[in-house]
């Protein structure tokens, strides 16, 4: 099976321009392609997972990835899939986030010896002056056509700032510059980016001639992939200081039955034949498929040792045994803990709730357990007497576990 056929079989490709040329380039390992990442936080999250895995797959087949960090576009904000305008960030914050991204991306992509590049679009966008942008780039775009793009239609009644309206032009210019400076002949992006990507392809061909070789592909369900990064308690980050390896493992262990095979195909590097066999699995066997998914992805992001620790801790918890060391733990001094803490205060201390109001609602709905016993009152005090060997386990809902340790 060729790499192009594998990408299709795994459900990763949706819309393409110039399919035969794309297939030929990818299979021959001659594609230099880019995917863009806006540095809106200091960590990537699981919504970026599909793009990172795709870059890794294509690099393994001999193609060259370019990770484009949106240091310039990040100062404007992408309206795609949004009903509001992103908050602007300082240049210092953007630079810090870019550095964090490169460290995390290096776990997926080999940047050594020119095998891949990381480029910041601030390098060219910040140099553009207004007249040059209007004359050299803006003249190639129809406002009427831009207004038909889904990303703008969604907000047409509420209106767009002129700032955001330039995003398509800036993203298109990115592809043009990458093509000129680095020989980038292909771009990938989510299905919500299709209009912006086509704009880049058209800009290259208009400025450099119809024979200019630039192509676009969108990732199937990538907008759904972005939603993967959000849970009721916030984002699931790739940074272990933001989301522990155990919580990361548990996130994937708890995907729905309907999504587990799809995630295995799209996000893991297991052979398709092995995943196809799992299509026959039912009932409790699907739990094993989820464990495989969680282990593979935790190993990919955090390493095999952390994946094993998370797996052991999860099996121990759900098997009724003593919890392993990988369960997220909050240490509290005995002096601070005193004669005990009310459950709401303890949940807040462990960062299990975004607010005390949410904590009260959770307790009142029976969503909190301490030492495997359901908490029935918001003024319940977790006394030191309830601890065993200076530790106690708190459970939020069905899926979130947290250890408290007195030191």
């Amino acid at each position: 099976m060729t790499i192009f056929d594998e990408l299709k079989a795994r459900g990763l490709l949706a819309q393409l321009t110039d399919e035969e040329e794309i297939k030929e380039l990818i299979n021959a390992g001659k594609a230099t392609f880019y995917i863009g990442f806006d540095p809106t936080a200091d960590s990537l999250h699981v919504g970026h997972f599909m793009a990172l895995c795709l870059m890794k797959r294509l690099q393994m087949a001999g193609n060259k990835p370019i990770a484009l960090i949106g240091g310039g576009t990040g100062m404007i904000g992408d309206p795609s899939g949004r009903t509001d305008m992103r908050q602007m960030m300082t240049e210092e914050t953007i630079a810090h986030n870019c550095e964090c991204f490169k460290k995390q991306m290096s776990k997926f992509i080999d940047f050594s010896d020119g095998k891949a590049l990381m480029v910041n679009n601030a390098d060219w966008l910040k140099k553009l002056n207004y007249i040059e942008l209007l004359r050299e780039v803006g003249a190639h775009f129809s406002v009427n056509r831009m207004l038909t793009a889904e990303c703008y239609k969604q907000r047409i009644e509420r209106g767009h700032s002129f700032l955001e309206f330039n995003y398509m032009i800036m993203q298109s210019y990115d592809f043009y510059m990458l093509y000129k400076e680095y020989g980038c002949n292909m771009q990938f992006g989510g299905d919500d980016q299709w209009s912006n990507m086509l704009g880049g392809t058209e800009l290259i061909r208009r400025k450099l001639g119809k024979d200019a070789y630039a192509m676009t592909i969108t990732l199937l369900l990538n907008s759904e992939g972005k939603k993967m990064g959000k849970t009721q308690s916030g984002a699931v980050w790739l940074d272990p200081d933001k989301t522990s390896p155990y919580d990361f493992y548990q996130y994937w262990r708890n995907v729905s039955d309907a999504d587990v095979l799809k995630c295995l195909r799209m996000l893991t590097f297991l052979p398709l034949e092995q995943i196809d066999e799992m299509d026959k699995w039912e009932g409790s066997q699907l739990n094993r498929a989820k464990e495989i998914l969680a282990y593979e992805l935790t190993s990919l992001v955090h390493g095999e040792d952390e994946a094993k620790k998370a797996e052991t801790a999860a099996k121990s918890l759900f098997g009724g045994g003593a919890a392993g060391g990988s369960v997220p733990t909050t240490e509290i001094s005995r002096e601070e803990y005193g004669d005990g803490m009310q459950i709401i205060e303890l949940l807040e201390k462990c960062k299990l709730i975004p607010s005390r109001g949410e904590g009260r609602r959770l307790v009142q709905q029976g969503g909190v357990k301490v030492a495997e016993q359901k908490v029935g009152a918001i003024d319940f005090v977790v006394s030191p007497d309830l601890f065993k060997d200076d530790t106690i386990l708190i459970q939020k809902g069905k899926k979130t576990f947290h250890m408290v340790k007195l030191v």
Side-chain angles (χ1 to χ4, degrees):
M1 181 182 290
T2 66
I3 181 63
F4 185 85
D5 290 338
E6 182 178 354
L7 295 181
K8 277 205 161 182
R10 288 183 180 273
L12 287 167
L13 303 183
Q15 295 170 285
L16 301 84
T17 63
D18 311 286
E19 180 168 344
E20 289 305 313
E21 290 89 343
I22 289 172
K23 182 189 301 186
E24 183 178 341
L25 277 176
I26 289 176
N27 289 341
K30 294 182 179 179
T32 298
F33 67 96
Y34 94 89
I35 298 180
F37 299 83
D38 270 349
T40 53
D42 59 1
S43 173
L44 298 164
H45 57 69
V46 298
H48 297 111
F49 219 91
M50 191 180 297
L52 294 170
C53 291
L54 177 73
M55 296 174 87
K56 182 178 177 70
R57 289 184 209 281
L58 288 170
Q59 187 180 49
M60 290 169 63
N63 299 286
K64 184 176 181 177
I66 298 176
L68 179 67
I69 305 299
T73 44
M75 298 182 72
I76 301 299
D78 179 5
S80 301
R82 297 179 63 86
T83 57
D84 58 352
M85 187 170 76
R86 280 200 176 116
Q87 188 173 6
M88 292 189 199
M89 299 178 293
T90 66
E91 292 187 41
E92 292 76 17
T93 298
I94 290 172
H96 171 70
N97 293 350
C98 289
E99 286 300 313
C100 295
F101 277 22
K102 185 168 186 179
K103 182 179 178 181
Q104 293 176 353
M105 286 179 179
S106 295
K107 296 181 180 180
F108 295 81
I109 304 163
D110 182 4
F111 288 99
S112 67
D113 303 322
K115 296 174 185 172
L117 297 174
M118 176 170 282
V119 180
N120 190 331
N121 65 11
D123 293 344
W124 53 79
L125 290 178
K126 288 178 66 176
K127 295 176 183 178
L128 282 173
N129 64 52
Y130 188 59
I131 298 299
E132 181 184 5
L133 178 67
L134 288 177
R135 180 184 175 90
E136 300 298 326
V137 184
H140 296 282
F141 288 83
S142 160
V143 172
N144 288 347
R145 185 170 178 182
M146 291 171 71
L147 286 171
T148 65
E150 192 62 34
C151 60
Y152 291 111
K153 284 168 61 178
Q154 291 173 358
R155 290 184 55 195
I156 197 68
E157 291 184 4
R158 295 182 58 184
H160 292 281
S161 71
F162 183 71
L163 196 70
E164 294 173 285
F165 207 60
N166 281 271
Y167 193 90
M168 181 185 291
I169 294 175
M170 295 170 72
Q171 184 173 331
S172 299
Y173 190 70
D174 284 344
F175 194 20
Y176 170 73
M177 288 299 296
L178 290 171
Y179 180 90
K180 277 197 6 173
E181 299 297 323
Y182 303 101
C184 180
N185 51 22
M186 197 175 299
Q187 60 179 332
F188 284 77
D191 52 4
D192 58 342
Q193 295 290 320
W194 185 240
S195 296
N196 294 353
M197 294 167 66
L198 287 178
T201 296
E202 291 177 6
L203 180 63
I204 290 172
R205 293 176 179 176
R206 287 178 181 178
K207 287 186 69 66
L208 302 178
K210 293 183 179 179
D211 294 333
Y213 211 48
M215 293 166 283
T216 47
I217 300 179
T218 64
L219 306 184
L220 179 63
L221 299 175
N222 197 41
S223 57
E224 182 175 317
K226 290 179 181 179
K227 294 173 187 175
M228 288 180 183
K230 300 290 183 180
T231 67
Q232 291 180 355
S233 58
V236 178
W237 305 100
L238 305 193
D239 183 343
D241 292 331
K242 289 178 173 289
T243 298
S244 72
Y246 173 80
D247 281 336
F248 188 84
Y249 177 95
Q250 282 298 104
Y251 174 80
W252 295 108
R253 170 62 181 79
N254 292 318
V255 300
S256 68
D257 290 355
D259 288 338
V260 60
L261 271 297
K262 179 171 62 180
C263 289
L264 280 164
R265 287 192 177 92
M266 289 182 167
L267 305 177
T268 76
F269 290 80
L270 295 174
L272 280 169
E273 295 80 8
Q274 181 180 347
I275 300 171
D276 289 341
E277 281 296 312
M278 297 182 197
D279 261 332
K280 305 170 186 175
W281 292 5
E282 298 177 351
S284 61
Q285 287 181 306
L286 287 176
N287 288 330
R288 177 57 186 148
K290 294 176 186 180
E291 290 172 354
I292 292 171
L293 173 69
Y295 182 88
E296 290 294 324
L297 298 188
T298 306
S299 180
L300 185 61
V301 175
H302 299 297
E304 194 169 348
D305 287 346
E306 291 295 339
K308 288 178 179 177
K309 289 178 186 177
E311 182 180 54
T312 300
K315 288 183 177 179
S316 180
L317 278 172
F318 289 104
S326 285
V327 178
T329 301
T330 296
E331 294 185 348
I332 306 176
S333 69
R334 289 184 176 82
E335 182 180 5
E336 179 185 358
Y337 201 80
D339 294 330
M341 283 188 178
Q342 285 194 351
I343 184 60
I344 304 298
E345 182 183 3
L346 190 56
L347 289 170
E348 192 173 44
K349 186 80 173 176
C350 297
K351 298 181 180 179
L352 289 170
I353 52 174
S355 67
R356 293 201 168 197
E358 173 64 18
R360 286 191 290 271
R361 183 193 65 78
L362 194 64
V363 171
Q364 290 167 347
Q365 292 180 354
V368 177
K369 289 183 179 180
V370 173
E372 301 184 11
Q373 299 298 314
K374 186 175 291 187
V375 176
I378 59 174
D379 59 354
F380 175 77
V381 175
V382 184
S383 71
D385 296 339
L386 296 174
F387 284 67
K388 182 178 180 181
D389 297 328
D390 295 325
T391 62
I392 196 166
L393 186 67
I394 299 176
Q395 181 178 347
K396 185 182 89 169
K398 295 181 179 180
K399 304 174 181 180
T400 302
F401 295 84
H402 197 95
M403 192 75 71
V404 178
K405 184 175 183 180
L406 299 181
V407 294

